[in-house]
Amino acid sequence: MMSENCLFCKIIRGEIPSKKIYEDDDVFAFYDIEPQAPVHFLVVPKHHIPTLMDMQPCDSEIMGKLLYRAQVLAKELGLEESGARFVFNCKAEAGQTVFHIHLHVLGGRQMGWPPYPPENH
Ligand code: 5GP
Ligand code: ZN
């Protein structure tokens, strides 16, 4: 199922251009338009699911494929030795701004933790 007005569904359909990295029947991967690391790409299911908390039992297989593909692409893009950050922001407070599930893959620089400014501890 596609969602008419969803930004990432439009990218998957090719209505909005993106720097595509990978595509198969279930999964689509493309570079983030505002990279936060030397390597920063997004892996999405082609099927429109708004947030991780909307995942249904029938979505398990596609989400497994998404996770599998994310780590294959991370390795292909040179992150096998250094590692990478794999992130789902889920809903607004966690930082989600596009409501079509996407796994961020970031690498090529030292990452911080925790993921909020120290003064907010
Ligand atoms: P979120 O904040 O929802 O976890 O992540 C959304 C991500 O999508 C952000 O990192 C943002 O830079 C990226 N993004 C937003 N609009 C576009 C776009 O039109 N093209 C691409 N490639 N990335 C986008
Ligand atoms: Zn969508």
Side-chain angles (χ1 to χ4, degrees):
M1 193 200 36
M2 289 291 186
S3 177
E4 202 56 42
N5 287 316
C6 167
L7 175 64
F8 287 173
C9 283
K10 287 180 179 168
I11 285 178
I12 292 161
R13 291 196 295 262
E15 293 168 17
I16 292 174
S18 71
K19 285 209 240 167
K20 182 170 87 176
I21 303 171
Y22 176 85
E23 176 175 16
D24 63 25
D25 286 348
D26 301 309
V27 170
F28 194 95
F30 56 104
Y31 285 105
D32 197 291
I33 205 166
E34 218 178 293
Q36 303 301 319
V39 178
H40 183 181
F41 62 95
L42 305 172
V43 191
V44 304
K46 284 192 169 175
H47 173 61
H48 180 84
I49 308 168
T51 83
L52 190 60
M53 290 183 190
D54 297 304
M55 188 180 159
Q56 301 297 310
C58 63
D59 297 322
S60 296
E61 190 178 343
I62 196 170
M63 293 305 289
K65 288 179 177 176
L66 181 151
L67 203 50
Y68 172 77
R69 188 54 53 190
Q71 59 84 33
V72 168
L73 295 174
K75 288 186 283 196
E76 286 178 4
L77 292 170
L79 301 176
E80 183 164 11
E81 213 166 299
S82 56
R85 182 70 60 83
F86 296 80
V87 179
F88 288 105
N89 294 324
C90 182
K91 303 195 178 180
E93 189 169 88
Q96 186 173 4
T97 58
V98 178
F99 285 79
H100 179 131
I101 289 186
H102 48 283
L103 177 60
H104 290 262
V105 182
L106 303 111
R109 59 170 285 184
Q110 183 62 49
M111 299 289 159
W113 191 265
Y116 45 80
E119 64 268 22
N120 293 345
H121 265 285

